Amino acid sequence: MSPRLLTEEVRMGRAKQLMLEMEEAQWEEADVSFCCPNCEYDVDGTTSLPVVYEHGGEEHLPISIRCFSCNSSFDGWVKTDWFTCEIELDEHPDVVVKANSARGSTSDYEEYDHDYFEWLEQQELSSRPILKAFLRTIDDVAALASEISLEPKPQMLARMLLAQSVTALEVFLSDTLILAVLSHKAVQEKLLRSKSLEIGTKQFKLTDAFGVEDFAKEKLLEHLRSISFHNITKVSNLYQIGMGVTILPEGDAADIIQEAIKIRHDCVHRNGKNQETGELNVVTQESLHDLTDTLSRMVRFVDDQVRAFDTRS
């Protein structure tokens, strides 16, 4: 691999890591004071700072500051921990920006009663975090797809984005089914009793079950975690038997997904080369957008059915 290509991969890896760090961080609106480089007034401004905790680590992330006087915005970086908050503007590194750390507390909700925590838990469940995680990934893929061309470097990015899209689908299908098994005994029973799946016919010694609470459920979860969730036919049977949910789209959508799964296999196991021709798979901007649109429709379709099942059960 050439040094330039390796450098490009490193840059893309760092950009992706930074994007993940920004998504995972908690942010809080904060006031700052500085001499605005545009209007040259000593003014107050506002920005969003990553929340830091007393025994947590340091955050070093990009931010944007807005001046209340002239409404100008300035990009920069913040380096902050529990004790310090240092901000440097990209185009004006000499400007001193004063700000306090956005301190968080692990006991912010101690004053609330048990009923509040039960309500909060229900809000978390109803927010469909598994769906949101999938959509966030697919939105990022769609945004990065605008950089795709038929040149070698963009094609490497295209194959990485396609593989990430299929992986996001796998994680959604896996996490959603496992959550259903954990939440509904009826789903456990249907999957274990299904003759076609043969999950419940495996034999174990009595010593295997000794000391294991809810042994059958644990073995079912162990089986589900071992499945390759890009095997759409097998996963479709699990969803249909366990919840009566249909996951396979009809027509062109199914063909688009199956082709993407095939290319993803080539990317993971054959360095992107087509198994039949030996040539690198070509992923166009149009095909990547078609894939992200198709996966989004499929996942929303599945999530709607699972939500209806949760309501009935």
Side-chain angles (χ1 to χ4, degrees):
M1 181 180 294
S2 70
R4 290 182 60 188
L5 187 56
L6 181 60
T7 301
E8 182 70 13
E9 284 193 46
V10 171
R11 185 188 67 80
M12 289 167 52
R14 288 175 178 171
K16 183 177 179 181
Q17 180 62 34
L18 179 60
M19 184 170 59
L20 290 173
E21 289 178 7
M22 292 183 67
E23 289 177 355
E24 293 173 357
Q26 295 175 278
W27 295 85
E28 184 175 290
E29 196 76 11
D31 295 327
V32 297
S33 59
F34 65 111
C35 179
C36 176
N38 188 40
C39 64
E40 298 184 348
Y41 283 107
D42 289 326
V43 294
D44 292 328
T46 184
T47 188
S48 291
L49 295 178
V51 176
V52 292
Y53 294 89
E54 184 172 8
H55 301 293
E58 182 183 79
E59 297 282 4
H60 189 199
L61 296 170
I63 60 170
S64 180
I65 293 177
R66 183 170 64 88
C67 171
F68 283 150
S69 177
C70 64
N71 209 33
S72 297
S73 292
F74 306 94
D75 293 331
W77 287 78
V78 60
K79 183 188 294 185
T80 179
D81 57 22
W82 184 257
F83 300 101
T84 62
C85 181
E86 300 174 0
I87 296 175
E88 182 175 299
L89 304 183
D90 291 343
E91 298 182 2
H92 308 279
D94 295 332
V95 172
V96 177
V97 182
K98 297 179 180 179
N100 294 321
S101 302
R103 294 182 173 182
S105 171
T106 56
S107 58
D108 285 341
Y109 299 108
E110 284 183 354
E111 67 272 23
Y112 295 101
D113 58 19
H114 180 69
D115 291 339
Y116 171 78
F117 284 104
E118 286 188 345
W119 174 84
L120 183 61
E121 182 179 3
Q122 291 303 313
Q123 298 306 304
E124 288 296 322
L125 290 174
S126 66
S127 70
R128 316 300 288 184
I130 297 173
L131 173 65
K132 286 186 174 181
F134 169 84
L135 293 177
R136 184 167 61 242
T137 297
I138 290 299
D139 286 345
D140 289 342
V141 169
L144 290 169
S146 61
E147 302 178 16
I148 299 304
S149 70
L150 299 182
E151 296 299 319
K153 289 181 182 178
Q155 273 299 295
M156 176 175 285
L157 174 61
R159 290 189 291 272
M160 291 170 62
L161 293 176
L162 181 142
Q164 182 63 51
S165 300
V166 175
T167 299
L169 173 65
E170 288 184 70
V171 173
F172 169 82
L173 293 174
S174 172
D175 289 356
T176 299
L177 183 59
I178 288 174
L179 180 61
V181 168
L182 289 169
S183 304
H184 304 288
K185 285 192 174 295
V187 177
Q188 300 173 28
E189 184 175 353
K190 288 177 181 178
L191 292 176
L192 288 170
R193 291 185 180 277
S194 171
K195 293 182 179 180
S196 62
L197 296 177
E198 298 183 345
I199 299 175
T201 60
K202 294 183 178 180
Q203 297 183 357
F204 301 94
K205 298 177 182 179
L206 287 175
T207 52
D208 294 334
F210 184 76
V212 180
E213 185 177 353
D214 212 339
F215 179 76
K217 183 182 77 172
E218 289 303 315
K219 284 299 176 181
L220 174 58
L221 291 171
E222 182 180 304
H223 174 80
L224 293 178
R225 292 183 179 118
S226 70
I227 289 176
S228 296
F229 272 78
H230 57 261
N231 186 332
I232 296 297
T233 301
K234 178 182 288 187
V235 175
S236 177
N237 289 336
L238 290 169
Y239 269 80
Q240 188 62 49
I241 292 170
M243 294 182 283
V245 168
T246 301
I247 70 169
L248 277 176
E250 298 179 353
D252 293 343
D255 295 337
I256 291 172
I257 293 172
Q258 292 290 0
E259 179 64 17
I261 291 172
K262 181 180 177 181
I263 295 176
R264 184 260 188 193
H265 181 273
D266 289 341
C267 292
V268 173
H269 301 287
R270 298 180 56 81
N271 198 25
K273 291 184 178 180
N274 185 287
Q275 187 170 0
E276 298 173 0
T277 67
E279 300 292 330
L280 284 171
N281 285 285
V282 175
V283 180
T284 65
Q285 186 178 122
E286 180 182 3
S287 66
L288 201 51
H289 280 305
D290 286 344
L291 176 61
T292 56
D293 290 343
T294 300
L295 291 180
S296 294
R297 290 196 303 271
M298 173 185 175
V299 164
R300 288 184 184 278
F301 174 62
V302 172
D303 188 74
D304 287 344
Q305 293 178 80
V306 173
R307 188 193 295 258
F309 174 82
D310 288 340
T311 301
R312 293 194 303 270
S313 302

